[in-house]
Amino acid sequence: MGNSYSSVEEEKRLNHQLDFCTDLLRELKRKISEAERDGDGKFKKRLKRDKEKYLTTAGKLCDCTEEYERMEAAYDDLRKQKAAMEAEAARLVEEVRSLEKGKRDDDNKAADEDKPDEDPSSGDMK
């Protein structure tokens, strides 16, 4: 998938980032509530701007997580298709071998039929 993470490591990393963003959002909401009570307009504006930035980051992380899950599902489907194709290829190889064996058997039978039977009455006895 273009990176050095295994799927388990990637999932853990994404979950950690999502938890981190969630915690930041929770903290920002708490600070905004405090600022609203305190009436500090400038502080409130800065926190709202930061909140939007973190919401955007969290949204992007969710999008990445969903995309990763779609890619993982597609990869699983490809593995299943590959296994099915390998099974079909093995079946076809066996079918070809069987047909080749049948052809050899038919060729040998035809060759045996083409041989003249030795006539025991032909008397090559000396």
Side-chain angles (χ1 to χ4, degrees), residues 31-48:
K31 287 182 179 182
I32 287 173
S33 295
E34 287 175 5
E36 287 174 343
R37 282 194 309 266
D38 295 343
D40 185 356
K42 183 178 177 182
F43 184 67
K44 181 178 170 184
K45 285 180 187 177
R46 185 173 55 81
L47 284 176
K48 280 190 178 185

Side-chain angles (χ1 to χ4, degrees), residues 97-113:
R97 285 183 184 151
S98 175
L99 291 171
E100 287 174 344
K101 182 182 182 308
K103 184 179 182 320
R104 282 194 306 271
D105 290 347
D106 288 348
D107 288 349
N108 289 339
K109 187 176 181 182
D112 287 345
E113 289 174 0

Side-chain angles (χ1 to χ4, degrees), residues 64-107:
C64 288
T65 302
E66 290 170 5
E67 179 64 20
Y68 173 78
E69 289 169 353
R70 281 192 295 271
M71 289 172 62
E72 191 170 43
Y75 179 71
D76 287 342
D77 287 344
L78 287 174
R79 283 197 329 239
K80 289 175 188 173
Q81 288 176 8
K82 178 184 175 197
M85 289 171 65
E86 288 173 342
E88 179 65 10
R91 187 191 69 75
L92 290 172
V93 165
E94 285 304 313
E95 188 175 321
V96 167
R97 285 183 184 151
S98 175
L99 291 171
E100 287 174 344
K101 182 182 182 308
K103 184 179 182 320
R104 282 194 306 271
D105 290 347
D106 288 348
D107 288 349

